[in-house]
């Protein structure tokens, strides 16, 4: 089971990310879901240079991106956004896209449950048909109740995947599962062969190894259901702005290349721009914790 990492957690040139992760034992990248920011020909060259492969991407459902929006035009634009990510992943020889159906940060519904479910299924089916033609698999990702009211648990993601199509999968994230699931291990078992991606961070969203999750037990369950990976590291370190901060100086006060969208996404996830030294420590700790188990 190989190791991957997302790159949305720090604003920096892709080459800097790849130069950091390649010596640490990472084999795959889940590229940030901002296809307009990437020339896939250039990215392919960088991936080859550093010996890293693209595993896939994850949707950044911000602003009006919402596959179950009341407004039909917003739903259509959101579907097109997912299609653009699928195209990017296909051009990078990636395999999957993790889809969060609703807007991150929207915690109140906009319509009746049956209406939103109908819109979500229709939107996912359109994305699914496009992904199938591209040879890219979709994985619906549940996230916790404080970030969305729609699809918080694995069983909900499985229900939407089953309504979408026979090859639609789910992507689970142990940080969110730690909040929402009665037993994360049983949820993994119920996902079975629909499990197409797995994101990892600690219970406190720090790097694996800096919290309380039983990583040997978790990896054992993933192997039990036949999941072959990769495990995708996706920490979002909470920033302590008090004198109790155990990592003084970890906030990057002058981040370069941080778009407004990226800034909002980081802040919504309980984090901020991190210094390169601190971010590198988190990346290294993740690898040192997980690789011996894989």
């Amino acid at each position: 089971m190989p190791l991957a990492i997302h790159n949305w957690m720090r604003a920096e040139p892709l080459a800097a990310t790849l130069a950091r992760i390649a010596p640490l034992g990472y084999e795959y990248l889940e590229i940030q879901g901002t296809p307009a920011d990437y020339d896939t020909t250039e990215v392919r060259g960088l991936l080859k240079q550093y010996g890293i492969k693209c595993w896939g991407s994850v949707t950044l459902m911000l602003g009006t991106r919402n596959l179950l929006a009341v407004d039909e035009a917003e739903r259509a634009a959101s579907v097109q956004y997912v299609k653009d990510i699928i195209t990017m992943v296909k051009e990078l020889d990636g395999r999957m896209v993790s889809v969060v159906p609703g807007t991150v940060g929207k915690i109140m519904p906009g319509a009746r449950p049956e209406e939103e479910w109908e819109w979500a299924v229709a939107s996912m089916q359109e994305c699914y048909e496009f992904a199938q033609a591209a040879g890219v698999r979709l994985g619906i990702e549940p996230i916790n109740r404080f970030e969305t009211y729609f699809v918080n648990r694995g069983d909900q993601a499985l229900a939407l995947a089953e309504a979408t199509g026979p090859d639609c999968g789910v992507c689970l994230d142990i940080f969110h599962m730690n909040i929402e699931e009665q037993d994360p291990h049983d949820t993994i078992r119920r996902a079975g062969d629909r499990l197409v991606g797995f994101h990892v961070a600690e219970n406190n969203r720090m790097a694996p190894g800096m919290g309380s999750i039983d990583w040997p037990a978790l990896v054992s369950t993933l192997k039990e259901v036949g999941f072959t990976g990769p495990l995708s590291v996706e920490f979002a370190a909470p920033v302590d702005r008090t004198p109790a901060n155990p990592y003084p100086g970890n906030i990057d006060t002058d981040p370069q290349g941080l778009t407004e969208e990226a800034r909002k996404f980081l802040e919504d996830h309980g984090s901020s721009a991190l210094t390169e030294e601190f971010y590198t420590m988190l990346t290294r700790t993740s690898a040192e914790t997980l690789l011996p188990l894989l």
Side-chain angles (χ1 to χ4, degrees), residues 245-290:
N245 185 4
Y247 306 103
N250 62 344
I251 302 175
D252 187 348
T253 57
D254 185 29
Q256 301 299 309
L258 189 62
T259 65
E260 181 62 22
E261 180 178 72
R263 180 197 63 76
K264 185 178 188 307
F265 198 71
L266 285 172
E267 291 177 353
D268 285 348
H269 284 68
S271 185
S272 181
L274 305 175
T275 62
E276 183 172 1
E277 181 181 22
F278 184 62
Y279 189 82
T280 298
M281 182 275 289
L282 296 171
T283 306
R284 180 183 299 110
T285 299
S286 301
E288 290 174 347
T289 299
L290 296 171

Side-chain angles (χ1 to χ4, degrees), residues 42-124:
E42 293 180 4
V43 173
R44 286 173 66 93
L46 284 171
L47 291 171
K48 182 177 181 180
Q49 177 183 343
Y50 288 96
I52 300 292
K53 292 168 281 191
C54 175
W55 173 245
S57 185
V58 60
T59 60
L60 303 184
M61 303 302 281
L62 302 174
T64 59
R65 291 174 187 158
N66 186 358
L67 295 178
L68 51 142
V70 174
D71 185 270
E72 184 178 356
E74 289 184 7
R75 294 200 303 273
S78 301
V79 166
Q80 185 58 54
Y81 165 68
V82 177
K83 288 180 178 179
D84 290 344
I85 294 180
I86 292 167
T87 298
M88 174 180 69
V89 168
K90 176 187 178 182
E91 292 176 356
L92 296 176
D93 298 325
R95 302 184 192 178
M96 64 87 67
V97 172
S98 172
V99 181
V100 175
T103 305
V104 175
K106 179 176 170 57
I107 57 173
M108 294 295 291
R112 291 181 291 112
E114 56 270 24
E115 289 179 311
E116 291 192 317
W117 184 257
E118 180 180 345
W119 294 330
V121 170
S123 295
M124 281 300 307

Side-chain angles (χ1 to χ4, degrees), residues 59-277:
T59 60
L60 303 184
M61 303 302 281
L62 302 174
T64 59
R65 291 174 187 158
N66 186 358
L67 295 178
L68 51 142
V70 174
D71 185 270
E72 184 178 356
E74 289 184 7
R75 294 200 303 273
S78 301
V79 166
Q80 185 58 54
Y81 165 68
V82 177
K83 288 180 178 179
D84 290 344
I85 294 180
I86 292 167
T87 298
M88 174 180 69
V89 168
K90 176 187 178 182
E91 292 176 356
L92 296 176
D93 298 325
R95 302 184 192 178
M96 64 87 67
V97 172
S98 172
V99 181
V100 175
T103 305
V104 175
K106 179 176 170 57
I107 57 173
M108 294 295 291
R112 291 181 291 112
E114 56 270 24
E115 289 179 311
E116 291 192 317
W117 184 257
E118 180 180 345
W119 294 330
V121 170
S123 295
M124 281 300 307
Q125 286 178 338
E126 185 173 347
C127 295
Y128 174 77
E129 291 178 6
F130 188 84
Q132 288 290 103
V136 174
R137 198 170 183 195
L138 299 184
I140 298 168
E141 182 177 1
I143 63 176
N144 73 77
R145 73 191 76 176
F146 306 109
E147 297 185 42
T148 184
Y149 66 92
F150 189 79
V151 183
N152 306 123
R153 296 180 290 104
D155 287 346
Q156 295 168 322
L158 280 169
L160 184 53
E162 290 165 359
T164 297
D167 197 42
C168 185
V170 299
C171 177
L172 299 177
D173 184 317
I174 191 58
F175 167 76
H176 298 292
M177 297 174 79
N178 188 64
I179 298 171
E180 299 293 345
E181 303 291 349
Q182 182 176 7
D183 186 333
H185 298 269
D186 283 348
T187 300
I188 291 168
R189 294 185 183 102
R190 287 195 297 275
D193 59 6
R194 282 195 188 258
L195 184 61
V196 298
F198 201 88
H199 298 167
V200 291
E202 277 290 356
N203 61 295
N204 53 12
R205 221 164 196 181
M206 296 291 281
M210 300 174 73
S212 63
I213 289 175
D214 186 340
W215 294 105
L218 182 65
V219 172
S220 176
T221 300
L222 289 168
K223 290 180 178 179
E224 174 191 325
V225 301
F227 182 71
T228 57
L231 290 189
S232 295
V233 171
E234 192 184 23
F235 51 72
V239 173
D240 188 338
R241 299 180 184 275
T242 77
N245 185 4
Y247 306 103
N250 62 344
I251 302 175
D252 187 348
T253 57
D254 185 29
Q256 301 299 309
L258 189 62
T259 65
E260 181 62 22
E261 180 178 72
R263 180 197 63 76
K264 185 178 188 307
F265 198 71
L266 285 172
E267 291 177 353
D268 285 348
H269 284 68
S271 185
S272 181
L274 305 175
T275 62
E276 183 172 1
E277 181 181 22

